[in-house]
Coordinates of all heavy atoms in Angstrom, one line a residue:
M1 N 0.8 -1.2 -0.1 CA 0.0 -0.1 0.0 C 0.9 1.3 0.0 O 1.8 1.4 0.8 CB -0.9 -0.1 1.3 CG -1.7 1.0 1.4 SD -2.8 1.2 2.9 CE -3.5 -0.5 3.2
D2 N 0.7 2.1 -1.0 CA 1.5 3.3 -1.0 C 1.1 4.4 0.1 O 0.0 4.2 0.7 CB 1.5 3.9 -2.4 CG 0.1 4.5 -2.9 OD1 -0.8 4.3 -2.2 OD2 0.1 5.2 -3.8
E3 N 1.8 5.4 0.2 CA 1.6 6.5 1.2 C 0.4 7.1 1.1 O -0.3 7.4 2.1 CB 2.8 7.4 1.1 CG 2.8 8.2 2.5 CD 2.9 7.5 3.7 OE1 3.5 6.5 3.9 OE2 2.3 8.2 4.7
K4 N 0.0 7.5 -0.2 CA -1.2 8.2 -0.5 C -2.5 7.3 0.0 O -3.4 7.8 0.5 CB -1.5 8.6 -2.0 CG -2.5 9.4 -2.4 CD -2.4 9.9 -3.7 CE -3.5 10.9 -3.9 NZ -3.6 11.4 -5.4
E5 N -2.5 6.0 -0.4 CA -3.5 5.0 0.0 C -3.6 5.0 1.5 O -4.7 5.0 2.0 CB -3.4 3.9 -0.8 CG -4.3 2.8 -0.4 CD -5.7 3.0 -0.9 OE1 -5.9 3.9 -1.9 OE2 -6.7 2.6 -0.4
K6 N -2.4 4.9 2.0 CA -2.4 4.8 3.5 C -3.0 5.9 4.3 O -3.7 5.8 5.3 CB -0.9 4.5 3.9 CG -0.7 4.1 5.4 CD 0.7 3.8 5.8 CE 0.9 3.4 7.1 NZ 2.4 3.1 7.5
Q7 N -2.7 7.1 3.8 CA -3.3 8.4 4.4 C -4.8 8.4 4.1 O -5.5 8.9 5.0 CB -2.6 9.7 3.7 CG -1.2 9.8 4.2 CD -0.5 11.0 3.4 OE1 -1.1 11.6 2.4 NE2 0.7 11.3 3.8
R8 N -5.3 8.0 3.0 CA -6.7 7.9 2.6 C -7.4 7.0 3.6 O -8.5 7.3 4.1 CB -6.9 7.6 1.2 CG -8.3 7.8 0.7 CD -8.5 7.3 -0.7 NE -8.6 5.9 -1.0 CZ -9.6 5.1 -0.7 NH1 -10.6 5.5 0.0 NH2 -9.5 3.7 -0.7
R9 N -6.8 6.0 3.8 CA -7.3 4.8 4.8 C -7.4 5.4 6.1 O -8.4 5.3 6.8 CB -6.5 3.6 4.6 CG -7.0 2.5 5.4 CD -6.1 1.1 5.3 NE -6.7 0.1 5.9 CZ -7.5 -0.7 5.2 NH1 -7.6 -0.6 3.9 NH2 -8.0 -1.8 5.7
E10 N -6.3 6.1 6.5 CA -6.4 6.8 7.9 C -7.5 7.6 7.9 O -8.2 7.8 9.0 CB -5.0 7.4 8.3 CG -3.9 6.5 8.7 CD -4.3 5.8 10.1 OE1 -4.7 6.5 11.0 OE2 -4.2 4.6 10.2
R11 N -7.7 8.6 7.1 CA -8.8 9.6 7.2 C -10.1 8.9 7.1 O -11.0 9.3 8.1 CB -8.7 10.5 5.8 CG -7.7 11.4 5.8 CD -7.9 12.6 4.9 NE -8.0 12.1 3.6 CZ -7.0 11.9 2.6 NH1 -5.9 12.2 3.0 NH2 -7.4 11.4 1.5
L12 N -10.3 7.9 6.5 CA -11.5 7.1 6.5 C -11.8 6.4 7.9 O -12.8 6.7 8.4 CB -11.6 6.0 5.4 CG -12.8 5.1 5.5 CD1 -14.1 5.7 5.2 CD2 -12.6 3.8 4.6
L13 N -10.8 5.9 8.5 CA -10.9 5.3 9.8 C -11.2 6.4 10.8 O -12.1 6.1 11.7 CB -9.6 4.6 10.1 CG -9.4 3.3 9.4 CD1 -8.0 2.6 9.7 CD2 -10.4 2.2 9.7
R14 N -10.6 7.6 10.7 CA -10.9 8.6 11.7 C -12.2 9.1 11.5 O -13.0 9.4 12.6 CB -9.8 9.7 11.6 CG -8.4 9.3 11.8 CD -7.6 10.3 12.5 NE -6.3 9.8 12.7 CZ -5.8 8.9 13.6 NH1 -6.7 8.5 14.6 NH2 -4.6 8.6 13.7
Q15 N -12.8 9.2 10.3 CA -14.1 9.6 10.0 C -15.2 8.7 10.6 O -16.2 9.1 11.2 CB -14.5 9.8 8.6 CG -13.8 11.0 8.1 CD -14.0 11.0 6.4 OE1 -14.0 10.0 5.7 NE2 -14.0 12.3 6.0
I16 N -14.9 7.3 10.5 CA -15.8 6.3 11.0 C -15.7 6.5 12.6 O -16.8 6.4 13.3 CB -15.4 4.9 10.5 CG1 -15.7 4.8 9.0 CG2 -16.1 3.9 11.4 CD1 -15.1 3.5 8.4
L17 N -14.6 6.6 13.1 CA -14.4 6.7 14.6 C -15.2 8.0 15.0 O -15.9 7.9 16.1 CB -13.0 6.9 15.0 CG -12.6 6.9 16.4 CD1 -13.1 5.5 17.1 CD2 -11.1 6.9 16.6
R18 N -15.1 9.1 14.3 CA -15.8 10.3 14.8 C -17.3 9.9 14.7 O -18.0 10.4 15.7 CB -15.4 11.3 13.7 CG -16.2 12.7 14.1 CD -15.7 13.7 13.2 NE -16.4 15.0 13.5 CZ -17.2 15.6 12.5 NH1 -17.1 15.2 11.3 NH2 -17.9 16.7 12.8
L19 N -17.9 9.3 13.7 CA -19.3 8.9 13.7 C -19.7 8.0 14.9 O -20.6 8.2 15.6 CB -19.6 8.1 12.4 CG -19.6 9.0 11.1 CD1 -19.8 8.0 9.9 CD2 -20.9 9.8 11.2
M20 N -18.7 7.1 15.3 CA -19.1 6.3 16.5 C -19.1 7.0 17.7 O -19.9 6.8 18.6 CB -18.0 5.1 16.6 CG -18.2 4.1 15.5 SD -16.9 2.8 15.8 CE -17.3 2.4 17.6
Q21 N -18.5 8.2 17.8 CA -18.3 9.0 19.1 C -19.2 10.1 19.0 O -19.2 11.0 20.1 CB -16.9 9.2 19.2 CG -16.0 8.1 19.6 CD -14.5 8.6 19.7 OE1 -14.1 9.5 19.1 NE2 -13.8 7.5 20.4
A22 N -20.0 10.4 17.9 CA -20.7 11.7 17.8 C -21.8 11.8 19.0 O -22.6 10.8 19.1 CB -21.3 11.7 16.4
P23 N -21.9 13.0 19.5 CA -22.9 13.1 20.6 C -24.2 13.3 19.8 O -24.4 13.8 18.8 CB -22.5 14.4 21.3 CG -21.7 15.1 20.2 CD -21.0 14.0 19.3
V24 N -25.4 13.0 20.6 CA -26.6 13.2 20.0 C -27.4 14.4 20.7 O -28.6 14.7 20.2 CB -27.6 11.9 20.1 CG1 -26.9 10.8 19.3 CG2 -27.7 11.5 21.7
N25 N -26.8 15.0 21.7 CA -27.5 16.0 22.5 C -27.9 17.3 21.5 O -29.0 17.9 21.8 CB -26.9 16.4 23.7 CG -25.4 16.9 23.5 OD1 -24.9 16.4 22.5 ND2 -24.9 17.6 24.4
D26 N -27.0 17.5 20.6 CA -27.3 18.8 19.9 C -28.4 18.6 18.8 O -29.2 19.4 18.5 CB -26.1 19.2 19.0 CG -25.1 20.0 19.8 OD1 -25.4 20.3 21.0 OD2 -24.0 20.3 19.3
A27 N -28.6 17.2 18.4 CA -29.8 17.0 17.6 C -31.1 17.1 18.4 O -32.1 17.6 17.8 CB -29.7 15.5 17.1
V28 N -31.0 16.8 19.7 CA -32.3 17.1 20.5 C -32.5 18.5 20.6 O -33.6 19.0 20.5 CB -32.1 16.3 21.8 CG1 -33.2 16.7 22.8 CG2 -31.9 14.8 21.7
K29 N -31.4 19.4 20.9 CA -31.5 20.7 21.0 C -32.2 21.3 19.7 O -33.0 22.3 19.7 CB -30.2 21.4 21.1 CG -29.6 21.2 22.5 CD -28.2 21.8 22.5 CE -27.5 21.4 23.9 NZ -26.1 22.0 23.9
L30 N -31.8 20.8 18.5 CA -32.3 21.2 17.1 C -33.8 21.0 17.2 O -34.6 21.9 16.8 CB -31.6 20.4 16.1 CG -32.3 20.8 14.7 CD1 -31.9 22.1 14.2 CD2 -31.7 19.6 13.6
A31 N -34.3 19.9 17.8 CA -35.7 19.8 17.7 C -36.5 20.7 18.5 O -37.7 21.1 18.2 CB -36.0 18.3 18.3
Y32 N -35.9 21.3 19.5 CA -36.6 22.4 20.3 C -36.2 23.9 20.0 O -36.7 24.8 20.6 CB -36.2 22.1 21.8 CG -36.7 21.0 22.4 CD1 -36.1 19.8 22.4 CD2 -38.2 21.1 22.8 CE1 -36.8 18.6 23.0 CE2 -38.8 19.9 23.4 CZ -38.1 18.8 23.4 OH -38.6 17.6 23.9
L33 N -35.5 24.0 18.9 CA -35.2 25.5 18.5 C -36.5 26.0 17.9 O -37.2 25.5 17.2 CB -34.2 25.6 17.4 CG -32.7 25.3 17.8 CD1 -31.7 25.2 16.6 CD2 -32.3 26.4 18.9
Q34 N -36.6 27.3 18.2 CA -37.8 28.2 17.8 C -37.3 28.9 16.3 O -36.1 28.8 16.2 CB -38.1 29.2 18.7 CG -38.7 28.7 20.0 CD -39.8 27.8 20.1 OE1 -40.8 28.1 19.3 NE2 -39.8 26.6 20.6
E35 N -38.2 29.2 15.6 CA -37.9 29.9 14.2 C -36.9 31.0 14.5 O -36.0 31.1 13.6 CB -39.1 30.3 13.6 CG -39.8 29.2 12.8 CD -41.0 29.6 12.1 OE1 -40.7 30.7 11.2 OE2 -42.1 29.2 12.0
E36 N -37.0 31.8 15.5 CA -36.1 32.9 15.7 C -34.7 32.4 16.1 O -33.8 33.4 16.2 CB -36.7 34.0 16.7 CG -37.1 33.5 18.1 CD -38.4 32.8 18.1 OE1 -39.2 32.7 17.1 OE2 -38.8 32.4 19.2
E37 N -34.6 31.2 16.5 CA -33.2 30.8 16.8 C -32.4 30.0 15.8 O -31.4 29.4 16.2 CB -33.5 29.9 18.0 CG -33.9 30.4 19.3 CD -34.2 29.5 20.3 OE1 -35.0 28.6 20.1 OE2 -33.7 29.7 21.3
T38 N -33.0 30.0 14.5 CA -32.2 29.2 13.5 C -30.7 29.5 13.3 O -30.0 28.7 12.8 CB -33.0 29.5 12.2 OG1 -33.1 30.9 11.9 CG2 -34.3 28.9 12.2
E39 N -30.2 30.7 13.7 CA -28.9 31.1 13.6 C -28.0 30.2 14.5 O -26.7 30.0 14.2 CB -28.6 32.5 13.9 CG -28.6 33.0 15.4 CD -30.0 33.2 15.8 OE1 -31.0 33.2 15.0 OE2 -30.2 33.4 16.9
R40 N -28.6 29.5 15.6 CA -27.9 28.6 16.3 C -27.5 27.3 15.8 O -26.7 26.5 16.1 CB -28.5 28.4 17.6 CG -28.8 29.7 18.5 CD -29.4 29.4 19.9 NE -28.9 28.3 20.4 CZ -29.6 27.6 21.5 NH1 -30.9 28.0 21.8 NH2 -29.2 26.6 22.1
I41 N -28.1 27.0 14.6 CA -28.0 25.6 14.0 C -26.6 25.4 13.6 O -26.0 24.3 13.8 CB -28.9 25.7 12.7 CG1 -30.4 25.4 13.2 CG2 -28.5 24.3 11.9 CD1 -31.3 25.5 12.2
D42 N -25.8 26.5 13.1 CA -24.5 26.4 12.6 C -23.5 25.9 13.8 O -22.6 25.3 13.5 CB -23.9 27.6 12.0 CG -24.6 27.9 10.7 OD1 -25.0 27.1 10.1 OD2 -24.5 29.1 10.3
G43 N -23.8 26.1 15.0 CA -23.1 25.8 16.1 C -23.2 24.3 16.6 O -22.6 23.9 17.6
L44 N -24.3 23.7 16.2 CA -24.7 22.3 16.6 C -23.8 21.2 15.9 O -23.5 21.3 14.8 CB -26.1 22.2 16.4 CG -27.1 23.0 17.1 CD1 -28.6 22.8 16.7 CD2 -27.0 23.1 18.5
D45 N -23.5 20.2 16.7 CA -22.7 19.1 16.1 C -23.8 18.1 15.8 O -24.4 17.3 16.7 CB -21.9 18.6 17.1 CG -21.1 17.2 16.7 OD1 -21.4 16.7 15.5 OD2 -20.2 16.7 17.3
L46 N -24.2 17.9 14.5 CA -25.3 17.1 14.0 C -24.7 15.8 13.3 O -25.4 15.2 12.5 CB -26.2 17.8 13.2 CG -26.9 19.2 13.8 CD1 -27.7 19.9 12.7 CD2 -27.6 18.7 14.9
T47 N -23.5 15.4 13.7 CA -22.8 14.3 13.0 C -23.5 13.0 13.2 O -23.7 12.2 12.2 CB -21.4 14.2 13.6 OG1 -20.7 15.3 13.5 CG2 -20.6 13.1 12.9
A48 N -24.2 12.8 14.2 CA -24.9 11.6 14.5 C -26.4 11.5 14.0 O -26.9 10.6 14.0 CB -25.0 11.2 16.1
L49 N -26.8 12.7 13.4 CA -28.1 12.9 13.0 C -28.3 12.3 11.5 O -27.6 12.7 10.6 CB -28.6 14.1 13.1 CG -30.1 14.5 12.6 CD1 -31.0 13.8 13.7 CD2 -30.3 15.9 12.7
K50 N -29.0 11.3 11.4 CA -29.2 10.6 10.0 C -30.5 11.3 9.4 O -30.3 11.5 8.1 CB -29.4 9.2 10.2 CG -29.5 8.4 8.9 CD -29.6 6.8 9.3 CE -29.8 6.1 8.0 NZ -29.9 4.7 8.3
E51 N -31.5 11.6 10.1 CA -32.8 12.2 9.5 C -33.4 13.0 10.5 O -33.5 12.7 11.8 CB -33.7 11.0 9.2 CG -34.8 11.4 8.2 CD -35.5 10.2 7.8 OE1 -35.0 9.1 7.3 OE2 -36.9 10.3 7.7
F52 N -34.1 14.2 10.1 CA -34.9 15.0 11.0 C -36.1 15.4 10.1 O -36.2 15.7 9.1 CB -34.1 16.2 11.2 CG -34.7 17.3 11.9 CD1 -34.6 17.3 13.4 CD2 -35.5 18.4 11.4 CE1 -35.3 18.2 14.2 CE2 -36.1 19.3 12.3 CZ -36.1 19.2 13.6
K53 N -37.3 15.2 10.9 CA -38.6 15.4 10.3 C -39.4 16.1 11.3 O -39.4 15.9 12.5 CB -39.3 14.2 10.0 CG -38.7 13.5 8.8 CD -39.7 12.2 8.4 CE -39.1 11.4 7.4 NZ -40.0 10.2 7.1
R54 N -40.1 17.3 10.9 CA -41.0 18.0 11.8 C -42.3 18.1 11.0 O -42.3 18.6 9.9 CB -40.5 19.3 12.1 CG -41.4 20.1 13.1 CD -41.0 21.6 13.4 NE -39.6 21.6 13.7 CZ -39.0 21.7 15.0 NH1 -39.9 21.7 16.0 NH2 -37.8 21.9 15.2
S55 N -43.4 17.4 11.5 CA -44.6 17.4 10.9 C -45.3 18.8 11.1 O -45.0 19.6 11.9 CB -45.5 16.4 11.3 OG -45.9 16.5 12.7
A56 N -46.4 19.1 10.4 CA -47.2 20.3 10.5 C -47.8 20.5 11.7 O -47.8 21.6 12.2 CB -48.4 20.2 9.5
N57 N -48.0 19.3 12.4 CA -48.6 19.6 13.8 C -47.5 19.5 14.9 O -47.8 19.5 16.2 CB -49.6 18.4 14.2 CG -49.1 17.0 14.1 OD1 -47.8 16.9 13.8 ND2 -49.8 15.9 14.4
G58 N -46.3 19.7 14.5 CA -45.2 19.9 15.5 C -44.5 18.6 16.0 O -43.6 18.9 16.8
V59 N -44.8 17.6 15.6 CA -44.3 16.3 16.0 C -42.8 16.2 15.3 O -42.9 16.4 14.1 CB -45.1 15.0 15.6 CG1 -44.3 13.8 16.0 CG2 -46.4 15.1 16.4
V60 N -41.8 15.8 16.0 CA -40.6 15.8 15.5 C -40.1 14.5 15.5 O -40.2 13.6 16.7 CB -39.5 16.7 16.5 CG1 -38.1 16.4 16.0 CG2 -40.0 18.1 16.4
E61 N -39.3 13.9 14.6 CA -38.8 12.7 14.4 C -37.3 12.7 14.3 O -37.0 13.4 13.3 CB -39.5 11.8 13.3 CG -38.9 10.3 13.2 CD -39.6 9.7 12.0 OE1 -40.6 10.1 11.5 OE2 -39.2 8.6 11.6
L62 N -36.5 12.1 15.0 CA -35.1 12.2 14.9 C -34.6 10.7 14.7 O -35.0 9.8 15.3 CB -34.4 12.7 16.2 CG -34.8 14.1 16.5 CD1 -34.1 14.4 18.0 CD2 -34.4 15.1 15.5
K63 N -33.8 10.5 13.6 CA -33.2 9.1 13.3 C -31.6 9.3 13.4 O -31.1 10.3 12.7 CB -33.5 8.6 12.0 CG -35.0 8.2 12.0 CD -35.4 7.5 10.7 CE -36.9 7.1 10.7 NZ -37.1 6.4 9.3
F64 N -31.0 8.4 14.0 CA -29.6 8.5 14.3 C -28.8 7.4 13.6 O -29.4 6.5 13.3 CB -29.2 8.5 15.8 CG -29.8 9.7 16.7 CD1 -30.9 9.5 17.4 CD2 -29.2 10.9 16.6 CE1 -31.5 10.6 18.0 CE2 -29.7 12.1 17.2 CZ -30.9 11.9 18.0
I65 N -27.6 7.6 13.4 CA -26.8 6.7 12.8 C -26.7 5.3 13.6 O -26.9 5.4 14.8 CB -25.3 7.1 12.5 CG1 -24.6 7.5 13.8 CG2 -25.2 8.2 11.5 CD1 -23.1 7.5 13.8
D66 N -26.5 4.3 13.0 CA -26.5 2.9 13.6 C -24.9 2.8 14.1 O -24.1 2.5 13.3 CB -26.9 1.9 12.8 CG -26.8 0.4 13.4 OD1 -26.2 0.4 14.5 OD2 -27.4 -0.4 12.8
R67 N -24.7 3.0 15.4 CA -23.2 3.0 15.8 C -22.7 1.5 15.7 O -21.5 1.4 15.5 CB -23.2 3.4 17.3 CG -23.5 4.9 17.4 CD -23.4 5.4 19.0 NE -24.0 6.6 19.1 CZ -23.3 7.7 19.2 NH1 -22.1 7.7 19.1 NH2 -23.9 8.9 19.3
L68 N -23.5 0.5 16.0 CA -23.1 -0.8 15.7 C -22.6 -1.2 14.3 O -21.6 -1.8 14.1 CB -24.2 -1.8 16.1 CG -23.8 -3.0 17.0 CD1 -23.0 -2.7 18.1 CD2 -25.1 -3.8 17.3
E69 N -23.4 -0.6 13.3 CA -22.9 -0.8 11.9 C -21.6 0.0 11.6 O -20.9 -0.5 11.0 CB -24.0 -0.2 10.9 CG -23.7 -0.2 9.5 CD -23.7 -1.8 9.0 OE1 -24.1 -2.7 9.6 OE2 -22.9 -1.8 8.0
V70 N -21.5 1.2 12.2 CA -20.4 1.9 12.0 C -19.2 1.3 12.6 O -18.0 1.1 12.0 CB -20.5 3.4 12.6 CG1 -19.1 4.0 12.6 CG2 -21.5 4.1 11.9
A71 N -19.3 0.6 13.8 CA -18.3 -0.1 14.4 C -18.0 -1.4 13.6 O -16.7 -1.7 13.4 CB -18.7 -0.6 15.8
R72 N -18.9 -2.2 13.0 CA -18.6 -3.2 12.0 C -17.8 -2.8 10.8 O -16.8 -3.5 10.5 CB -19.9 -3.8 11.6 CG -19.8 -5.1 10.8 CD -21.2 -5.6 10.3 NE -21.6 -4.7 9.3 CZ -21.2 -4.5 8.1 NH1 -20.2 -5.3 7.7 NH2 -21.8 -3.6 7.2
Q73 N -18.1 -1.7 10.3 CA -17.4 -1.1 9.1 C -16.0 -0.8 9.5 O -15.1 -1.0 8.8 CB -18.2 0.1 8.6 CG -19.5 -0.4 7.8 CD -20.2 0.8 7.1 OE1 -19.5 1.8 6.9 NE2 -21.5 0.7 7.0
L74 N -15.7 -0.3 10.6 CA -14.5 0.1 11.2 C -13.6 -1.1 11.3 O -12.5 -1.2 10.8 CB -14.7 0.9 12.4 CG -13.3 1.3 13.1 CD1 -12.4 2.2 12.3 CD2 -13.4 1.7 14.6
L75 N -14.1 -2.1 11.9 CA -13.3 -3.3 12.1 C -13.1 -4.0 10.9 O -12.0 -4.6 10.6 CB -14.2 -4.3 13.1 CG -14.2 -3.8 14.4 CD1 -15.1 -4.9 15.3 CD2 -12.8 -3.8 15.1
E76 N -13.9 -3.8 9.8 CA -13.8 -4.5 8.5 C -12.6 -3.7 7.7 O -12.0 -4.3 6.9 CB -14.9 -4.4 7.6 CG -16.1 -5.5 7.9 CD -17.3 -5.3 7.2 OE1 -17.3 -4.5 6.3 OE2 -18.1 -6.2 7.4
R77 N -12.4 -2.5 8.0 CA -11.5 -1.6 7.3 C -10.1 -1.5 8.0 O -9.3 -0.8 7.5 CB -12.1 -0.3 7.0 CG -13.1 -0.3 5.8 CD -14.0 0.8 5.9 NE -14.9 0.8 4.8 CZ -16.1 0.1 4.8 NH1 -16.3 -0.7 5.7 NH2 -16.8 0.1 3.8
L78 N -9.9 -2.2 9.1 CA -8.6 -2.2 9.7 C -7.5 -2.7 8.9 O -7.9 -3.7 8.1 CB -8.7 -2.8 11.1 CG -9.5 -2.0 12.3 CD1 -9.6 -3.0 13.4 CD2 -8.9 -0.8 12.6
P79 N -6.4 -2.3 9.1 CA -5.2 -3.0 8.2 C -5.3 -4.4 8.3 O -5.5 -5.0 9.4 CB -4.0 -2.1 8.8 CG -4.5 -1.1 9.4 CD -5.9 -1.2 9.9
G80 N -4.8 -5.1 7.3 CA -4.9 -6.7 7.2 C -4.1 -7.3 8.3 O -4.6 -8.1 8.8
E81 N -2.9 -6.7 8.8 CA -2.1 -7.3 9.8 C -2.8 -7.2 11.1 O -2.6 -8.0 12.0 CB -0.8 -6.8 9.9 CG -0.6 -5.3 10.3 CD -0.9 -4.3 9.2 OE1 -1.0 -4.8 8.0 OE2 -0.7 -3.1 9.4
S82 N -3.9 -6.4 11.3 CA -4.4 -6.1 12.6 C -5.7 -7.0 12.7 O -6.3 -7.1 13.8 CB -4.9 -4.7 12.6 OG -3.8 -3.8 12.6
R83 N -6.1 -7.6 11.6 CA -7.3 -8.5 11.7 C -7.1 -9.6 12.7 O -8.3 -10.3 13.0 CB -7.7 -9.0 10.3 CG -8.1 -7.9 9.5 CD -8.5 -8.3 8.1 NE -8.8 -7.1 7.3 CZ -9.8 -7.0 6.6 NH1 -10.6 -8.0 6.5 NH2 -10.0 -5.9 5.8
L84 N -5.9 -10.0 13.1 CA -5.8 -11.1 14.0 C -6.5 -10.8 15.3 O -7.0 -11.6 16.0 CB -4.2 -11.4 14.2 CG -3.6 -11.9 12.8 CD1 -2.1 -12.1 13.2 CD2 -4.3 -13.2 12.5
D85 N -6.4 -9.4 15.8 CA -7.1 -9.1 16.9 C -7.6 -7.7 16.6 O -7.1 -6.7 17.0 CB -6.0 -8.9 18.0 CG -6.5 -8.6 19.3 OD1 -7.8 -8.4 19.4 OD2 -5.8 -8.7 20.4
P86 N -8.9 -7.7 16.1 CA -9.5 -6.5 15.6 C -9.8 -5.5 16.9 O -9.8 -4.3 16.9 CB -10.8 -6.8 15.0 CG -11.0 -8.4 15.4 CD -9.6 -8.8 15.7
A87 N -10.1 -6.0 18.2 CA -10.5 -5.3 19.2 C -9.2 -4.5 19.6 O -9.4 -3.3 20.0 CB -10.9 -6.1 20.4
E88 N -8.1 -5.1 19.7 CA -6.8 -4.4 20.1 C -6.5 -3.3 19.0 O -6.2 -2.2 19.4 CB -5.6 -5.4 19.9 CG -4.4 -4.7 20.5 CD -3.2 -5.7 20.5 OE1 -3.4 -6.9 20.7 OE2 -2.1 -5.3 20.3
S89 N -6.8 -3.5 17.6 CA -6.6 -2.4 16.7 C -7.5 -1.4 16.9 O -7.3 -0.2 16.8 CB -6.7 -3.1 15.4 OG -5.9 -4.1 15.2
F90 N -8.8 -1.8 17.3 CA -9.8 -0.7 17.5 C -9.4 0.2 18.7 O -9.5 1.5 18.5 CB -11.2 -1.3 17.7 CG -12.2 -0.4 18.3 CD1 -12.8 0.5 17.3 CD2 -12.5 -0.4 19.6 CE1 -13.7 1.4 17.9 CE2 -13.5 0.6 20.0 CZ -14.1 1.4 19.1
F91 N -9.0 -0.3 19.8 CA -8.8 0.5 20.9 C -7.4 1.2 20.7 O -7.3 2.3 21.1 CB -8.7 -0.5 22.1 CG -10.0 -0.9 22.6 CD1 -10.2 -2.3 22.7 CD2 -10.9 0.0 23.0 CE1 -11.5 -2.7 23.0 CE2 -12.1 -0.4 23.4 CZ -12.5 -1.8 23.4
Q92 N -6.5 0.8 19.9 CA -5.3 1.5 19.6 C -5.7 2.8 18.8 O -5.2 3.7 19.0 CB -4.3 0.7 18.7 CG -3.2 1.3 18.5 CD -2.3 1.7 19.6 OE1 -2.3 1.1 20.7 NE2 -1.7 2.9 19.5
L93 N -6.6 2.6 17.7 CA -7.1 3.7 17.0 C -7.8 4.6 17.8 O -7.6 5.9 17.6 CB -8.0 3.2 15.9 CG -8.5 4.2 14.9 CD1 -7.3 4.8 14.1 CD2 -9.5 3.6 14.0
T94 N -8.6 4.4 18.9 CA -9.4 5.2 19.7 C -8.3 6.0 20.5 O -8.6 7.2 20.8 CB -10.4 4.5 20.5 OG1 -9.8 3.5 21.3 CG2 -11.5 4.0 19.6
K95 N -7.4 5.4 20.9 CA -6.2 6.1 21.7 C -5.6 7.2 21.0 O -5.3 8.2 21.5 CB -5.2 5.1 22.2 CG -5.7 4.2 23.4 CD -4.6 3.3 23.8 CE -5.1 2.3 24.9 NZ -4.1 1.3 25.2
E96 N -5.4 7.0 19.6 CA -4.6 7.9 18.7 C -5.6 9.0 18.3 O -5.1 10.0 18.2 CB -4.3 7.1 17.4 CG -3.1 6.2 17.7 CD -2.9 5.2 16.5 OE1 -3.4 5.6 15.4 OE2 -2.1 4.3 16.6
G97 N -6.8 8.6 18.2 CA -7.9 9.8 17.9 C -8.2 10.6 18.9 O -8.3 11.8 18.9

């Protein structure tokens, strides 16, 4: 694997790790924002938010990413030599991130 491919893989692993650790509290804050508070949206971390719906009667539906699926994808993409012990590789990556 050349250096460019190695860097791309590292970026992908870090993005997946970021998804796994993404907080959901800002998505809940989004659900309670009033129309006059829309400027606050830019400051919210909505990484974990997959879908947001607000119906005409005010009911809000939030859907979040599947962290288990993200973890599975992370383990599948770990470098080949690390597949012997994916848990160790995963925890090593979380320490680095």
Side-chain angles (χ1 to χ4, degrees):
M1 179 183 314
D2 67 351
E3 189 61 32
K4 189 174 183 178
E5 179 66 23
K6 191 174 182 181
Q7 289 174 353
R8 190 180 73 76
R9 184 182 191 90
E10 275 296 312
R11 281 194 309 269
L12 174 65
L13 289 173
R14 296 215 185 283
Q15 287 173 331
I16 292 172
L17 185 60
R18 182 175 173 239
L19 283 171
M20 286 182 59
Q21 297 172 336
V24 297
N25 56 332
D26 279 355
V28 175
K29 290 176 187 176
L30 176 65
Y32 287 98
L33 284 181
Q34 302 298 316
E35 277 190 49
E36 59 273 2
E37 298 177 299
T38 55
E39 72 279 352
R40 292 182 51 203
I41 292 173
D42 289 339
L44 299 176
D45 181 355
L46 303 175
T47 306
L49 187 61
K50 185 176 178 179
E51 190 175 324
F52 179 89
K53 291 182 185 177
R54 185 184 309 263
S55 68
N57 63 358
V59 174
V60 174
E61 180 181 344
L62 301 172
K63 290 186 182 178
F64 298 99
I65 59 166
D66 181 345
R67 292 177 195 260
L68 225 47
E69 178 63 20
V70 171
R72 185 187 65 76
Q73 289 182 23
L74 174 65
L75 290 174
E76 285 179 359
R77 285 164 178 77
L78 287 172
E81 66 275 2
S82 300
R83 290 180 187 224
L84 298 174
D85 190 355
E88 181 179 333
S89 299
F90 169 75
F91 288 117
Q92 181 63 36
L93 183 64
T94 58
K95 287 178 188 176
E96 294 171 7

